[in-house]
Amino acid sequence: MSKQPEHPALLIPGPIEFDDEVLQAMSHYSQSHVSAPFVATFGETLTMLRKLFQTTRPDSQPFVISGSGTLGWDMVAANLVERGDDVLVLHTGYFADSFADCFETYGINATQLKAPIGDRPQLDEVEQALRSKNYKILTVTHVDTSTGVLSEVKALSELVHKVSPETLVVVDGVCSVGTEEICFDDWGLDVVLTASQKGIGCPAGLSILMASGRAIETFKARRTPPSSYFASFKNWLPIMRNYEAEKPSYFATPSPQLIHALHTSLSQILSSPLSTRFAAHRSTSEKVKKTITDLGLQQLATKSENQANGMTAMYLPEGIKPTDILPKLLDRGVIFAGGLHREIATKYIRFGHMGVSVTDPKRDDIDRALEALKTGLADVGYVKK
């Protein structure tokens, strides 16, 4: 049984429920960020991230920096492109708009290739776009938290390497790392950025990024200095390398407690094969989506190949709003999220099923949530037709 105070199960697409040991690690006693014990913990954490991202190349570089997943966008925009460069942003929801806005803030020309809500740009469309212009970067949101759309990262990377091999492949994995398979080396990825509070199962506050050797070389070949101070690879690259080599180093103070929590979470994740973890998320996702279909509800992502395994976004029945159903779910001890996509925010809700709510057999979060959804819909007058 959990030692946490009784509380509603947080089943939004992040932050998620946390394991007791992870929360206990957050209460670690105060520790110098340059002490040998902490430096060793940080170094082990970086090494474990290599295993999670499935990279064994020595020129790949993990970064863990205090901040949200959004900081990863700044790290890409400030270090890997320069003012006036062109980038292609594949759009599957809200977060592509935001990434594009981040690029524009740095003077980068961001072209968005958009798909209808619930779908993803098709490979032939991407190929046509890549052939039309020299793009420095292509970005793809692996799972868009606003729509639950899963992108085909492996096939996209293969296409980029075939059609425009000089283009860097950047994956926004904020809502996918830890729940969806990512083979950094085998798929030829250049950057995967994420955050601590979703599939990785650690409290919010850490921006996590893996960069390829090619990405690092692109940074080193810049014509102009990085366009950010805090997000600069110039400042962080030696720090991360030193930490992984267990050498004390300083640019900005990390949170020792969050690093301990991340170390604990990664240790738990890597205690069993990653394939087992991904299979558990697929199985739970299938169960959730079958229940939703049986209730007569429709997902935003209608095609099975577009459906994420760590979350589900579902349209509500006609006449029912998120503000009607979400309080009913809370009354039954579960928390879902309202809609986020600007065009349809009042028409749907989002259910996050990832991390310990999926992998801990002692927890009944998912079953309680599905039952709460059934009874909650009935309470607001929904009858399946």
Side-chain angles (χ1 to χ4, degrees):
M1 292 292 292
S2 173
K3 299 176 182 178
Q4 300 172 36
E6 188 173 341
H7 64 278
L10 186 60
L11 297 171
I12 65 176
I16 65 169
E17 286 288 317
F18 303 126
D19 183 81
D20 287 2
E21 291 184 13
V22 173
L23 292 180
Q24 182 63 33
M26 280 292 292
S27 66
H28 195 282
Y29 57 81
S30 190
Q31 194 174 34
S32 168
H33 55 287
V34 292
S35 66
F38 175 70
V39 171
T41 298
F42 205 143
E44 290 172 4
T45 300
L46 292 169
T47 299
M48 285 192 286
L49 283 171
R50 293 180 181 275
K51 296 177 181 178
L52 178 61
F53 286 84
Q54 301 190 72
T55 175
T56 58
R57 292 180 61 95
D59 57 352
S60 297
Q61 181 59 54
F63 294 81
V64 179
I65 300 173
S66 296
S68 72
T70 306
L71 177 59
W73 295 343
D74 284 88
M75 292 179 71
V76 169
N79 293 289
L80 301 182
V81 278
E82 302 181 56
R83 182 173 293 274
D85 283 345
D86 292 296
V87 299
L88 180 62
V89 178
L90 305 189
H91 186 289
T92 53
Y94 175 96
F95 289 93
D97 289 327
S98 300
F99 204 168
D101 187 42
C102 177
F103 280 123
E104 297 287 352
T105 300
Y106 286 87
I108 313 302
N109 303 317
T111 299
Q112 293 199 59
L113 182 58
K114 296 192 175 186
I117 295 173
D119 208 344
R120 59 195 187 192
Q122 300 303 298
L123 292 176
D124 59 339
E125 298 172 323
V126 178
E127 180 172 356
Q128 184 177 358
L130 288 171
R131 293 189 185 280
S132 69
K133 187 182 293 187
N134 291 323
Y135 289 104
K136 188 75 170 287
I137 281 175
L138 173 142
T139 78
V140 55
T141 309
H142 197 183
V143 172
D144 195 290
T145 315
S146 72
T147 58
V149 170
L150 173 69
S151 291
E152 47 187 341
V153 171
K154 180 182 179 182
L156 280 167
S157 185
E158 289 173 350
L159 176 65
V160 173
H161 284 280
K162 173 187 172 184
V163 175
S164 184
E166 71 282 359
T167 300
L168 298 178
V169 180
V170 173
V171 179
D172 180 338
V174 170
C175 197
S176 69
V177 173
T179 64
E180 307 285 353
E181 184 171 37
I182 295 175
C183 300
F184 192 84
D185 290 353
D186 290 349
W187 295 357
L189 306 179
D190 291 297
V191 171
V192 176
L193 63 96
T194 190
S196 52
Q197 77 276 8
K198 301 201 181 199
I200 290 177
C202 173
L206 294 175
S207 183
I208 299 166
L209 183 146
M210 186 67 70
S212 69
R214 189 168 76 136
I216 299 299
E217 291 305 313
T218 297
F219 161 71
K220 291 179 178 179
R222 291 181 63 89
R223 304 180 305 277
T224 58
S227 46
S228 168
Y229 182 67
F230 185 71
S232 170
F233 280 8
K234 177 185 176 182
N235 293 324
W236 283 115
L237 189 57
I239 306 302
M240 295 297 122
R241 287 175 171 169
N242 283 344
Y243 269 132
E244 197 166 10
E246 299 192 6
K247 298 177 182 177
S249 195
Y250 173 75
F251 165 60
T253 307
S255 165
Q257 285 69 33
L258 275 171
I259 297 300
H260 277 287
L262 177 59
H263 183 280
T264 300
S265 181
L266 290 172
S267 297
Q268 292 177 342
I269 290 171
L270 295 172
S271 66
S272 59
L274 287 174
S275 58
T276 301
R277 181 179 183 84
F278 299 142
H281 282 85
R282 284 194 301 272
S283 176
T284 297
S285 179
E286 290 167 1
K287 179 179 180 178
V288 168
K289 290 167 172 59
K290 181 180 186 304
T291 300
I292 288 169
T293 299
D294 290 346
L295 283 169
L297 304 182
Q298 185 181 44
Q299 295 179 59
L300 273 64
T302 55
K303 301 174 185 175
S304 60
E305 64 269 24
N306 291 354
Q307 295 168 358
N309 291 301
M311 67 164 291
T312 303
M314 68 198 88
Y315 284 108
L316 291 169
E318 190 71 30
I320 297 176
K321 302 185 295 295
T323 50
D324 298 324
I325 187 65
L326 294 179
K328 301 295 183 183
L329 299 177
L330 180 58
D331 288 343
R332 288 164 175 78
V334 297
I335 299 175
F336 282 13
L340 185 60
H341 196 291
R342 293 183 180 93
E343 296 179 32
I344 55 170
T346 61
K347 296 181 179 180
Y348 76 105
I349 58 175
R350 296 172 295 144
F351 177 2
H353 34 85
M354 61 183 95
V356 292
S357 292
V358 170
T359 61
D360 186 346
K362 298 187 294 293
R363 301 184 72 119
D364 64 350
D365 299 347
I366 304 302
D367 290 337
R368 286 195 294 120
L370 293 175
E371 187 59 33
L373 181 62
K374 294 175 187 176
T375 55
L377 286 169
D379 284 352
V380 296
Y382 171 65
V383 178
K384 180 182 176 182
K385 295 180 182 178

